[in-house]
Amino acid sequence: MSGPEQHFRTCHLCEAMCGVVIEHQDGQVLTIKGDKQDPLSRGHVCPKVMGLKDLHEDPDRLRRPVKRVGQDWVEISWEEAFATIEENVKRIRREHGAGALGVYVGNPTVHTPAIVLIPPFIHALGARQRFSATSVDQLPHMLANLEMFGHQLLFTVPDLDRTDFLLMIGANPAASNGSLMTAGDPMGRIKGIRERGGRVVLVDPRRTETAEKVDDHIFIKPGSDFFFLAALAQVMFADAHIRLRHLGPMVEGLAELRAAVEPFTPEAVEDITGIAAKTIRDLARDFAVAQRGICYGRIGTCVQEFGGLAGWLLHAINIISGNLDHEGGMMFSTPPFNAVELGPKGEFGKHRSRVRGLPSFGGEFPANTLAEEILTPGKGQIRLLATHAGNPVLSTPNGRQMDEALASLDFMFSIDIYINETTRHAHIILPPTSALERSHMDLGLAAVSVRNFAKWSPAMVEPPADSRHDWQILLELSNRLGESGRLGRYVRQGVQGAVERLGLDAGLDLMMRFGPYGSHAKLVQKRSSATQRVMSVLRPDREGLSLKKLAENPHGVDFGPLVQRFPAALCTDDSKIHLAPAVYLEDVKRAKEKLHSRRAHPMLLIGRRHVRSNNSWLHNSQRLVKGKGRCTALLHPDDAARLKVAEGQLVRVTSRVGAIEVPAEITDAIMPGVVSVPHGWGHGRAGVQLKVAGKVPGVSVNDITDELHVDALTGMPVLNGVPVTVSAVAGVVAE
Ligand SMILES: Nc1nc2c(c(=O)[nH]1)N[C@H]1C(S)=C(S)[C@@H](COP(=O)(O)OP(=O)(O)OC[C@H]3O[C@@H](n4cnc5c(=O)[nH]c(N)nc54)[C@H](O)[C@@H]3O)O[C@H]1N2
Ligand SMILES: Nc1nc2c(c(=O)[nH]1)N[C@H]1C(S)=C(S)[C@@H](COP(=O)(O)OP(=O)(O)OC[C@H]3O[C@@H](n4cnc5c(=O)[nH]c(N)nc54)[C@H](O)[C@@H]3O)O[C@H]1N2
Ligand code: SF4
Ligand SMILES: [Mo]
């Protein structure tokens, strides 16, 4: 027996990147607390942090590869698992071509450093049909980054610590702990704005937990954010409150933007948004004159009927109010490696999906077309699917259709920790080590951090013998599945080869050394000659960032507040910021039509997150699911009275694709005409091996979201603002 030890790391469960101190002894986690010395999170953690222990110890978490034999699962060796996958991939590729291979990459991928091996893996697999959680999440932001700044990964980050005015739309950081704003303690920082005399305004169809902590909450009808944003911009133009600051020489398209928003006066959008014209007008004026303001929108503005247009205007409003790339406004981070240089610029609409003609984005198709690509016969029908850290059955629309599709595949394999709603359809599941058994660095989230920051942590405990890390699994598959002689294999072999020879941490070290704080940063900046390159390798700047330096600083290294990055960081070919890209101007026509076609709509369904939950996969922790059931339908008292629904009574919520039955929770915190059901539940499906979650299964809201109801611009599904009917289930009162 050895004494307890302290281990410092970053919680990888959500985007907040909280620093934690884990006390452990003989491989057992004793306590987990917030690390007060972590410069980003300053000691903040949420209740989910205990999930780190529960996931690590969960008996249902897979430790060995498994193979499905009928309804049963049997453990197999890694060799058998890899060989079976290799055989099937090669067979299907031979018989049907690469068009028959598909891949779905889920959200936790972004939270592991193994993400660097995803591109080589997909390339080696040769999957033509690629899908990910991007198309049920942040795609509109990425499209706006691409169209307006020239690179899909040029994400804007709210400078929360220095702003005077935060206008927050369709986000609930009190539950989510912030998204596309990695802030450690976002609510603490939001409180800071008010303490300095600043103002925080929230726009949401529900008076959320966040709403309790802001100055003003404004109700908005689901799906109408574009109209609200357009009216804000219209007022700013009409009042001549346009301020470009240093962006002046970079901006083009101002007149076109003005013309595009012209019809959307506050009065014209009053009805569609449900917001009084005066409220919009006053807000636009207050925002425009604030010295340092942020217009921040998140998932509520993304996965909806006009999500693409909303993503555009979020950027546009920050630009025309002089807040983009300005202290206290929407800025760009400087992560410890050149994220933008490493990743591809992106593309939109280069390809069309086979069955429905939905546009590609970044080489992927929207996830709401995955099921039909599997179910529809013909050349290019998907017969083999690989999933990495994804649960599309619960996370993408029309989950029952997804179940049917996955069950029909010729072969499916999953890299995942659980036998859950999605992976139960796989033939083979390859489980990676637990997060505490591997080293950690949040590569993706560093690019959206509200301070410039870097942190790396070693593994807390040695992984068990004969286990594999995510990156090792991806590497092995890349080696086995890659075909020789293919164009582009050199690209794949670059990353793959480096990681293979040196290990993932050494690969990260290399990326950091050539990054903006690295020992070789100057070399990259100067784009220097071969001689300088050799010199620099011989005499690296010893103060520069490296893995060694991070290992010596277990709480992380703070590089200070965000700094101005434009014009240098701008990636457009003409070095201009495009305020009015053609794709948006074209789509505005659809919005104008919507404004003029007033149809009485049924009830509209929206989503909801809870601080003790994380998408679909944290319900197997007893301490996180205990208490009052959370999979409920929020209904306004007026709607409840009209529908004759009592508190706790089961209601049937029906859409084009199906119905779910869920207990009602009556509250005036939701707008009349709106019903809110959280996603990620529905663990009662046959074959799911999650013992704790199975006792509180809930139902999946994505069994009634509609894969055919999309934002016509992006092709993304509408998950907020789904037309539904709600009725009482006679005589049934849920417990
Ligand atoms: N505890 C917890 N934290 C999480 C997650 C989780 O599942 N649980 N998931 C993580 C992930 S993957 C993400 S992407 C982030 C998301 O982080 P957030 O974007 O903060 O997500 P939500 O908490 O869902 O907040 C979205 C808000 O939009 C509102 N809304 C719905 N429809 C509309 C609309 O049409 N217009 C407007 N204006 N608002 C609307 C909803 O009422 C809700 O309050 O959270 C991350 N963090
Ligand atoms: N109706 C509605 N639907 C939504 C949303 C909504 O707001 N409303 N939100 C959407 C959003 S923002 C997102 S991001 C998506 C998420 O969609 P997905 O990413 O498809 O789903 P998750 O629920 O995050 O499932 C994560 C999977 O990864 C596995 N996993 C966890 N950790 C690891 C790991 O370390 N390695 C590996 N290999 N696997 C791991 C889990 O077991 C689980 O199977 O859901 C979307 N769906
Ligand atoms: S907010 Fe909670 S889940 Fe998110 S990183 Fe912090 S402790 Fe982890
Ligand atoms: Mo997400």
Side-chain angles (χ1 to χ4, degrees):
M1 290 269 286
S2 54
E5 287 174 66
Q6 278 196 329
H7 170 70
F8 300 98
R9 72 189 286 119
T10 301
C11 173
H12 70 293
L13 295 176
C14 86
E15 295 177 46
M17 264 178 80
C18 296
V20 297
V21 198
I22 305 183
E23 212 186 24
H24 63 106
Q25 187 169 15
D26 301 319
Q28 295 290 309
V29 174
L30 304 175
T31 60
I32 308 182
K33 298 207 172 95
D35 178 4
K36 293 200 176 67
Q37 294 181 72
D38 182 294
L40 189 67
S41 63
R42 307 175 296 205
H44 174 266
V45 283
C46 84
K48 279 190 302 302
V49 78
M50 290 313 287
L52 293 177
K53 173 177 164 73
D54 296 347
L55 280 163
H56 182 63
E57 294 171 0
D58 189 346
D60 290 337
R61 182 170 61 80
L62 297 173
R63 267 88 173 162
R64 319 255 325 149
V66 288
K67 159 170 99 170
R68 182 160 53 81
V69 184
Q71 300 301 313
D72 297 328
W73 291 90
V74 287
E75 283 193 358
I76 54 173
S77 68
W78 285 98
E79 178 51 35
E80 182 182 345
F82 286 127
T84 312
I85 291 168
E86 183 178 351
E87 188 189 309
N88 281 284
V89 168
K90 291 189 172 164
R91 174 179 60 81
I92 290 170
R93 227 192 252 155
R94 197 171 53 241
E95 288 171 9
H96 304 285
L101 305 182
V103 63
Y104 176 92
V105 178
N107 170 280
T109 311
V110 182
H111 300 258
T112 121
I115 190 171
V116 296
L117 283 152
I118 291 288
F121 164 65
I122 294 179
H123 185 265
L125 178 65
R128 291 274 166 74
Q129 300 236 46
R130 303 168 189 176
F131 306 85
S132 81
T134 290
S135 51
V136 278
D137 190 347
Q138 79 288 357
L139 193 155
H141 299 301
M142 295 178 75
L143 178 60
N145 298 345
L146 175 66
E147 293 287 336
M148 302 174 80
F149 311 142
H151 200 299
Q152 59 179 352
L153 298 177
L154 262 175
F155 283 105
T156 54
V157 190
D159 186 11
L160 292 180
D161 293 337
R162 292 181 293 183
T163 197
D164 312 318
F165 197 128
L166 174 63
L167 169 58
M168 188 161 37
I169 310 163
N172 186 12
S176 69
N177 273 292
S179 185
L180 296 182
M181 59 167 182
T182 288
D185 177 16
M187 291 311 290
R189 294 189 138 95
I190 285 170
K191 191 169 161 213
I193 300 173
R194 299 182 70 199
E195 283 171 355
R196 321 189 266 280
R199 184 171 161 208
V200 184
V201 178
L202 178 69
V203 183
D204 196 303
R206 177 167 77 91
R207 199 171 57 244
T208 59
E209 302 78 358
T210 303
E212 310 293 333
K213 304 275 164 67
V214 304
D215 296 280
D216 306 279
H217 166 249
I218 302 169
F219 280 116
I220 185 169
K221 288 188 191 165
S224 68
D225 295 86
F226 164 73
F227 299 91
F228 164 70
L229 291 164
L232 288 181
Q234 193 275 337
V235 175
M236 288 160 77
F237 277 112
D239 290 357
H241 265 150
I242 302 299
R243 175 178 61 186
L244 296 176
R245 289 188 170 134
H246 72 298
L247 304 178
M250 294 170 238
V251 164
E252 61 125 65
L254 199 61
E256 289 86 346
L257 174 67
R258 178 183 188 138
V261 297
E262 187 98 58
F264 302 98
T265 60
E267 288 71 21
V269 305
E270 201 167 36
D271 201 39
I272 199 163
T273 60
I275 307 176
K278 181 172 184 320
T279 307
I280 300 183
R281 218 170 267 289
D282 290 349
L283 184 61
R285 289 178 179 155
D286 292 348
F287 186 77
V289 299
Q291 272 311 302
R292 302 182 294 182
I294 296 167
C295 176
Y296 163 83
R298 232 353 233 120
I299 194 108
T301 68
C302 284
V303 268
Q304 52 143 295
E305 202 175 339
F306 294 96
L309 286 178
W312 165 47
L313 288 194
L314 286 167
H315 277 353
I317 285 174
N318 286 307
I319 296 167
I320 63 174
S321 59
N323 287 309
L324 185 83
D325 196 36
H326 182 259
E327 219 180 276
M330 267 295 197
M331 302 191 72
F332 298 91
S333 72
T334 312
F337 39 84
N338 298 305
V340 165
E341 272 113 90
L342 289 171
K345 274 191 169 189
E347 58 79 29
F348 176 53
K350 196 169 153 200
H351 307 282
R352 292 273 153 185
S353 70
R354 179 182 68 103
V355 178
R356 216 194 308 166
L358 295 181
S360 61
F361 180 80
E364 294 178 4
F365 292 118
N368 41 311
T369 186
L370 169 57
E372 66 196 1
E373 289 292 338
I374 298 172
L375 292 168
T376 312
K379 191 169 179 311
Q381 177 182 13
I382 298 177
R383 293 163 194 273
L384 179 146
L385 184 75
T387 69
H388 183 271
N391 193 358
V393 168
L394 293 193
S395 302
T396 68
N398 202 349
R400 290 173 186 141
Q401 183 198 36
M402 184 64 71
D403 263 328
E404 183 196 337
L406 299 186
S408 76
L409 284 165
D410 185 331
F411 189 77
M412 171 170 165
F413 69 96
S414 294
I415 303 169
D416 206 289
I417 56 175
Y418 283 130
I419 301 175
N420 65 14
E421 301 73 18
T422 292
T423 61
R424 72 197 166 114
H425 296 293
H427 294 85
I428 303 261
I429 307 175
L430 303 165
T433 48
S434 122
L436 303 183
E437 291 159 357
R438 61 164 171 80
S439 57
H440 185 70
M441 186 164 185
D442 268 291
L443 297 180
L445 300 176
V448 291
S449 173
V450 302
R451 286 183 75 81
N452 291 320
F453 178 71
K455 182 164 167 176
W456 174 89
S457 335
M460 185 192 88
V461 287
E462 282 289 310
D466 203 27
S467 61
R468 309 271 173 129
H469 300 304
D470 258 317
W471 65 269
Q472 290 171 319
I473 297 171
L474 291 165
L475 188 63
E476 178 77 35
L477 288 170
S478 305
N479 281 333
R480 287 183 183 243
L481 305 179
E483 287 176 314
S484 56
R486 287 164 56 101
L487 200 68
R489 81 173 195 271
Y490 299 105
V491 181
R492 167 164 65 79
Q493 284 174 348
V495 187
Q496 194 182 319
V499 173
E500 178 147 42
R501 278 189 293 278
L502 306 164
L504 183 60
D505 286 335
L508 299 179
D509 185 42
L510 210 62
M511 280 163 62
M512 274 186 282
R513 282 175 188 274
F514 284 93
Y517 313 105
S519 49
H520 296 50
K522 289 197 192 80
L523 170 103
V524 179
Q525 279 156 13
K526 284 191 206 145
R527 297 181 200 286
S528 53
S529 67
T531 334
Q532 280 170 309
R533 195 173 304 236
V534 174
M535 292 290 293
S536 161
V537 172
L538 294 176
R539 280 192 294 111
D541 167 9
R542 299 210 182 279
E543 295 304 304
L545 186 65
S546 62
L547 193 70
K548 182 164 170 282
K549 183 156 181 183
L550 286 183
E552 288 163 2
N553 290 276
H555 310 288
V557 176
D558 184 33
F559 297 104
L562 305 179
V563 294
Q564 210 161 72
R565 304 258 341 255
F566 274 13
L570 200 51
C571 293
T572 46
D573 292 339
D574 57 2
S575 300
K576 297 277 185 202
I577 297 172
H578 299 173
L579 254 186
V583 289
Y584 297 123
L585 297 183
E586 183 59 32
D587 199 41
V588 168
K589 294 180 192 155
R590 182 170 63 97
K592 274 194 223 157
E593 280 164 28
K594 178 86 178 182
L595 199 56
H596 298 122
S597 69
R598 299 266 156 76
R599 264 179 289 130
H601 58 71
M603 303 237 355
L604 294 178
L605 171 75
I606 63 167
R608 179 163 102 238
R609 282 180 163 76
H610 191 282
V611 73
R612 302 178 77 87
S613 185
N614 193 29
N615 293 334
S616 73
W617 62 282
L618 222 50
H619 296 152
N620 213 39
S621 154
Q622 184 54 43
R623 77 178 104 208
L624 292 180
V625 293
K626 71 172 188 237
K628 197 166 160 253
R630 297 200 301 263
C631 187
T632 61
L634 302 187
L635 276 180
H636 188 272
D638 292 353
D639 291 317
R642 181 172 52 84
L643 299 164
K644 299 192 174 43
V645 172
E647 175 73 14
Q649 187 174 358
L650 269 194
V651 289
R652 183 175 296 120
V653 188
T654 310
S655 73
R656 184 193 71 85
V657 303
I660 53 172
E661 291 185 357
V662 57
E665 198 175 330
I666 299 168
T667 166
D668 68 359
I670 189 110
M671 274 179 107
V674 180
V675 52
S676 160
V677 181
H679 75 284
W681 298 90
H683 309 296
R685 287 164 145 88
V688 172
Q689 303 206 359
L690 299 168
K691 282 185 218 66
V692 176
K695 289 189 193 126
V696 280
V699 292
S700 176
V701 73
N702 284 322
D703 285 351
I704 59 170
T705 55
D706 184 345
E707 86 283 6
L708 297 182
H709 186 197
V710 300
D711 167 11
L713 172 59
T714 60
M716 281 177 62
V718 173
L719 301 178
N720 287 307
V722 182
V724 291
T725 55
V726 180
S727 59
V729 177
V732 184
V733 178
E735 287 180 11

